[in-house]
Amino acid sequence: MMTGAHLVKLFAWVIGVLVLLWALVQCMGAPRSGTGPDGGGSERESVQRAADCGRAWEALELMGEADHGNVDAVADEIGMLGDEIVDRELSLMVYAFAERTEEMVAAAEEGDAAKLEDTYLLYRGLVEVDLSIKCSDAGTLD
């Protein structure tokens, strides 16, 4: 019959083996998507990723130009940038910028540029981190 101490040791041993297997899988796992046989990503994909990130940063900058008089034009321009982005995750992020731009302007009273600027800067601060992480491998960090 197994005592409590034996069960604890067995449980700890099983957890240890699982952690080692996980580490082995992480080290020996499949190559990242987009890598070629030489282990490096293709240059075309890197260039495309950098262009996509540049467009995403441009869209984030455009958000700051929106006000009650031009919100539709700015949102449309951001949407067009989203259409040009090949990476699905980044394009969805840029489309969200367009929606958020319209929401920010609608929430601010007409002529209240200070509130609009504060809202934009707060949103930008939150999004910059995520965008920087997504674009860190593209070499375009704003």
Side-chain angles (χ1 to χ4, degrees):
M1 185 165 158
M2 295 186 98
T3 63
H6 287 9
L7 287 174
V8 169
K9 286 181 183 179
L10 179 64
F11 182 71
W13 184 82
V14 169
I15 294 297
V17 168
L18 290 174
V19 168
L20 288 175
L21 285 173
W22 176 80
L24 182 64
V25 167
Q26 292 298 317
C27 292
M28 303 292 291
R32 297 176 102 192
S33 64
T35 58
D38 61 351
S42 74
E43 187 168 331
R44 191 184 82 216
E45 289 175 356
S46 296
V47 169
Q48 181 62 53
R49 179 77 173 167
D52 287 350
C53 287
R55 288 182 186 103
W57 282 110
E58 185 180 346
L60 187 59
E61 289 289 328
L62 279 172
M63 286 181 70
E65 298 176 9
D67 60 24
H68 285 85
N70 68 355
V71 65
D72 292 330
V74 170
D76 288 345
E77 192 169 346
I78 292 172
M80 286 188 291
L81 286 170
D83 291 341
E84 295 173 6
I85 294 176
V86 174
D87 183 89
R88 179 171 164 70
E89 193 174 350
L90 283 175
S91 67
L92 291 175
M93 184 182 237
V94 170
Y95 292 137
F97 292 170
E99 291 176 20
R100 182 66 183 137
T101 300
E102 293 171 337
E103 292 170 2
M104 284 187 332
V105 172
E109 292 183 29
E110 194 163 344
D112 191 359
K115 180 179 180 183
L116 193 56
E117 181 72 16
D118 289 344
T119 305
Y120 165 69
L121 290 175
L122 177 64
Y123 182 74
R124 181 185 173 104
L126 295 171
V127 172
E128 275 183 333
V129 174
D130 192 28
L131 189 55
S132 293
I133 291 170
K134 286 178 180 17
C135 292
S136 64
D137 61 340
T140 58
L141 293 178
D142 192 19

